[in-house]
RNA sequence: GGCGGGUUGGCGGAGAGGUUACGCAGCGGAUUGCAAAUCCGUGAAGACCGGUUCGAUUCCGGUACCCGCCUCCA
């Protein structure tokens, strides 16, 4: 079997992947802060590392991969929504309303990411359910001199960890020279970051040796990954914007808390998303969520396809044109594989697509190889390969659901064929052309030949428009 | 100021030191009542300037432009 090679941000090289324990390959991906709908950029790590998860399951077996992706549900924006709802007269305590908001957002997240064809991780820990582990880790860091308490805050002492910032190639002094760090009187060093901070009386908080408070952002991931995956695990991934400070701080915390362990062996970072050539932002008016696209009628698999067309390490541009092309390509492949019965699906994925994925998740190359399989007319292999990258799993169901529509279409086909036979004799095609135009408008492909006519639903097939033809 | 990513044919987007990427669009043809779909064929590239080399779009150096991070934003 081909080796999997992955670009490791930590070593700045592409390395052959060798799991610590092939019976339990472990990966951790930084998940969302659940304060609102996921925007399109949030979908990129989900899709990219879903492909990695699928690849690892393919190679090591579905039961031998553990994928953890957290939910950060300690956040001021969540609190704010809850407070606003309470002020507007919503029933329940503030704590209940906060929990409700998180639950609601998590539900949305699941709905949206499911629609993109992303498998659910094996564990989706919520920060609020791991507070004791965080407290324990912080206590350990204080005991070993890597952290200190000041005015109800606990801060990590960055000068106590010589390799601080190495992941992103920064030195502490470089960063201070950048001079955009928060200066707080209780910090020994401007780069020291918060592990624990006090909480206002009217905001959620947890009892701790340092008083009632809440955890800093970075300690969450360190505590949860440790609890669910252990001191050392194989892959830690996330967006490149998290490389600093989030991942730098995670490394500092975890390495200092467990000095003998390696923590994450491989660090992977996906590049950012742009929209029509520009950064997605509310001020530019090009900000939208995954749900916005789904509601506009862009299928999740189309979004997935567009994302996978660009290698994860490169900036990716979302455009309408790409979505349009993706839709047509997927439709073509769906048609091409429609006759492949479930039982005949091959279990072994063809080398070409698999090999592309093994080369640092080269999904772009994988897609071009799917095109090749399509051109060769190898429907079995095409479908098997599609499933490896997360497409086509529900296509058979779709086609079954379409049976009712197919019957309607067949009726039209018979009538249309008859009409055309007469037209061929009379040379008057006006009625035929009229009907054809309407069929096309309903998204039906009209195929005519000497043998007769065939009506096939196209990518934009709309049965409702067909009804009007009666 | 520091750190990092990008620049490939009309558009999207890969690999490889020398040989066709691939897809979309275009063009020519087959097919068609006309189309669509399909099939066959085909032109077109690597920001700029140097260097290494028999040979670079691919390696090295520099320049330009775009983007991100250094502000709990994936």
């Amino acid at each position: 079997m081909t080796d999997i090679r992955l670009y490791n941000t930590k070593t700045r090289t592409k390395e052959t992947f060798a799991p610590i324990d092939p019976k339990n390959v472990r990966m951790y991906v930084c998940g969302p802060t659940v304060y609102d709908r996921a925007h399109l950029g949030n979908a990129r790590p989900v899709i990219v590392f879903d492909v990695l998860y699928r690849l690892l399951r393919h190679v090591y077996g579905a039961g031998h991969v553990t994928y953890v992706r957290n939910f950060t549900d300690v956040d001021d924006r969540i609190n704010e929504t809850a407070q606003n709802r309470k002020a507007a007269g919503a029933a329940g305590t503030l704590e209940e309303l906060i929990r409700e908001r998180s639950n609601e957002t998590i539900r949305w997240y699941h709905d949206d990411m499911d629609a993109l064809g992303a498998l659910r991780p094996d564990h989706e820990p919520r920060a609020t359910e791991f507070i004791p582990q965080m407290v324990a880790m912080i206590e350990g860091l204080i005991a070993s001199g890597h952290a200190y308490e000041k005015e109800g805050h606990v801060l990590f002492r960055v000068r106590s960890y010589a390799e601080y910032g190495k992941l992103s190639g920064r030195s502490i002094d470089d960063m201070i020279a950048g001079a955009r760090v928060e200066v707080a009187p209780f910090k020994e060093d401007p780069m020291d970051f918060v592990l624990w901070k006090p909480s206002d009386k009217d905001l959620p908080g947890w009892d701790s040796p340092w008083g009632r408070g809440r955890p800093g952002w970075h300690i969450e991931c360190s505590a949860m990954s440790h609890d669910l995956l252990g001191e050392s695990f194989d892959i830690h991934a996330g967006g490149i914007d998290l490389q600093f400070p989030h991942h730098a701080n995670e490394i500092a915390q975890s390495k200092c808390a467990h000095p003998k362990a390696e923590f994450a062996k491989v660090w992977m970072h996906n590049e950012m998303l742009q929209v029509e050539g520009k950064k997605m932002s509310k001020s530019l008016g090009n900000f939208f969520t995954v749900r916005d696209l789904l509601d506009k009628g862009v299928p999740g698999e189309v979004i997935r396809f567009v994302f996978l067309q660009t290698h994860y390490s490169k900036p990716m541009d979302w455009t309408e044109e790409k979505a349009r092309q993706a839709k047509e390509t997927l439709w073509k492949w769906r048609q091409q594989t429609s006759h492949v019965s479930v039982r005949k699906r091959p279990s072994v994925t063809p080398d070409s697509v698999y090999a592309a994925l093994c080369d640092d998740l080269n999904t772009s190359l994988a897609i071009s190889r799917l095109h090749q399989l399509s051109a060769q007319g190898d429907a079995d292999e095409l479908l098997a390969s599609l499933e490896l990258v997360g497409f086509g799993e529900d296509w058979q169901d779709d086609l079954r659901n379409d049976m009712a529509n197919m019957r309607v279409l067949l009726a039209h086909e018979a009538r249309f064929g008859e009409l055309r036979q007469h037209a061929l004799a009379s040379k008057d095609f006006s009625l035929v052309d009229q009907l054809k135009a309407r069929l096309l408008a309903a998204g039906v492909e009209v195929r005519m030949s000497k043998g007769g006519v065939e009506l096939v639903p196209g990518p934009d097939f709309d049965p409702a428009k067909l009804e009007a033809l009666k």
Side-chain angles (χ1 to χ4, degrees), chain A residues 9-36:
Chain A
T9 310
K10 193 161 82 176
T11 58
R12 313 254 159 203
T13 52
K14 215 190 267 187
E15 300 170 348
T16 299
F17 178 67
I20 298 167
D21 175 10
K23 294 280 180 221
N24 184 20
V25 181
R26 290 159 285 167
M27 59 186 274
Y28 186 97
V29 176
C30 288
T33 301
V34 286
Y35 65 96
D36 206 348

Side-chain angles (χ1 to χ4, degrees), chain A residues 222-449:
Chain A
S222 282
M224 291 189 280
S225 65
H226 176 259
D227 195 75
L228 293 164
L229 296 176
E231 293 184 357
S232 294
F233 52 94
D234 298 292
I235 299 168
H236 192 131
I240 191 144
D241 55 334
L242 294 182
Q243 194 183 68
F244 191 91
H246 183 55
H247 290 162
N249 294 355
E250 259 189 79
I251 290 173
Q253 293 159 354
S254 293
K255 292 280 280 184
C256 291
H258 314 288
K260 297 208 173 108
E262 191 178 1
F263 193 39
K265 273 182 81 178
V266 180
W267 285 82
M268 296 179 72
H269 293 97
N270 62 276
E271 255 292 346
M272 299 290 103
L273 173 104
Q274 297 181 302
V275 174
E276 307 284 351
K278 300 208 165 141
K279 182 184 178 171
M280 185 166 78
S281 73
K282 285 179 179 166
S283 59
L284 284 171
N286 62 355
F287 180 95
F288 50 89
T289 64
V290 173
R291 179 52 51 183
D292 290 337
L293 279 183
L294 293 171
D295 286 347
K296 255 175 67 184
V298 181
E301 64 176 15
V302 167
I303 299 172
R304 184 182 182 90
F305 190 95
V306 170
F307 275 61
L308 294 184
Q309 263 185 315
T310 304
H311 191 256
Y312 75 86
S313 66
K314 286 192 172 186
M316 188 213 117
D317 198 17
W318 171 271
T319 65
E320 300 271 342
E321 174 60 15
K322 284 186 182 178
R324 192 192 61 73
Q325 283 187 20
K327 191 173 183 181
E328 286 189 8
T329 300
L330 285 168
W331 184 257
K332 186 170 113 183
W333 290 349
R334 185 188 288 253
Q335 296 276 303
Q336 212 174 350
T337 56
S338 64
H339 68 278
V340 178
S341 75
V342 178
R343 284 186 191 169
K344 276 189 182 169
R345 281 182 191 179
S347 56
V348 176
T349 307
D351 286 345
S352 67
V353 174
Y354 169 69
L357 295 179
C358 284
D359 184 12
D360 195 29
L361 300 182
N362 195 336
T363 51
S364 178
L365 187 62
I367 285 176
S368 70
R369 288 179 173 167
L370 288 169
H371 279 296
Q372 285 172 351
L373 290 176
S374 166
Q376 289 161 17
D378 196 333
D380 283 1
E381 290 204 341
L382 177 60
L383 190 59
S385 301
L386 280 164
E387 290 185 0
L388 185 62
V389 269
F391 294 106
E393 275 148 0
D394 55 350
W395 287 2
Q396 303 295 329
D397 297 334
D398 280 11
L399 290 166
R400 237 170 277 136
N401 292 338
D402 281 349
M403 287 310 280
N405 290 329
M406 287 308 292
R407 243 172 267 128
V408 176
L409 220 48
L410 283 172
H412 278 285
E413 189 175 284
R415 193 176 135 216
F416 187 75
E418 221 174 293
L419 205 60
R420 181 162 169 274
Q421 280 307 315
H422 292 301
L424 282 172
S426 68
K427 301 288 177 206
D428 176 9
F429 292 97
S430 57
L431 277 176
V432 177
D433 287 342
Q434 227 173 68
L435 188 53
K436 186 180 81 178
R438 288 196 191 159
L439 287 166
L440 291 176
V444 178
E445 277 175 13
V446 182
R447 302 178 183 172
M448 289 182 255
S449 68

Side-chain angles (χ1 to χ4, degrees), chain A residues 53-66:
Chain A
Y53 182 43
R54 287 169 186 272
L55 179 65
L56 293 172
R57 284 160 64 96
H58 181 77
V59 173
Y60 296 98
H64 300 295
V65 183
T66 307

